[in-house]
Amino acid sequence: MTEIGARLKSERIRLNLTQRMLADVGGVQSNAQGKYESGERCPRADYLARISSAGIDVLYVITGRYTPPINPSEPTTLSSIDDFRSSVSMLPDALEILV
């Protein structure tokens, strides 16, 4: 747990935020923020979701791996139901390759 706290603190510092500022974004008291960073308490999922809006790389905080950058030339979401159906229709072929 202390690794998560240390990574959370490093992300906060990277974004030049105080504990109070990040606590406000996360919807917790500043003493809770300090306990997350020291490893005394484990942050909840709703807190992590909220602090992601401040630019915190939550994947890094949890796993130690940075979120890969998004390539703007590649679509990041399916734009229509037809795209979704096309993607799903490829699943059996992909599974067969794996088996």
Side-chain angles (χ1 to χ4, degrees):
M1 176 52 204
T2 57
E3 292 177 6
I4 289 175
R7 290 190 296 261
L8 179 59
K9 181 178 180 177
S10 73
E11 279 292 282
R12 177 180 61 77
I13 291 169
R14 177 182 67 84
L15 295 170
N16 203 25
L17 298 172
T18 64
Q19 281 188 344
R20 172 79 265 155
M21 293 165 71
L22 190 55
D24 287 345
V25 171
V28 299
Q29 298 295 317
S30 57
N31 66 339
Q33 182 67 40
K35 289 182 179 188
Y36 295 157
E37 292 181 14
S38 69
E40 292 178 56
R41 288 182 57 188
C42 184
R44 293 174 25 151
D46 57 341
Y47 162 84
L48 294 170
R50 286 190 295 267
I51 66 169
S52 70
S53 70
I56 299 290
D57 187 341
V58 174
L59 179 65
Y60 170 69
V61 170
I62 296 170
T63 67
R65 292 187 310 258
Y66 287 100
T67 301
I70 296 173
N71 183 346
S73 65
E74 295 177 11
T76 56
T77 60
L78 298 173
S79 60
S80 70
I81 191 67
D82 292 332
D83 290 341
F84 174 75
R85 287 184 180 133
S86 174
S87 297
V88 171
S89 70
M90 295 186 306
L91 284 176
D93 295 335
L95 290 174
E96 190 172 319
I97 291 170
L98 292 174
V99 175

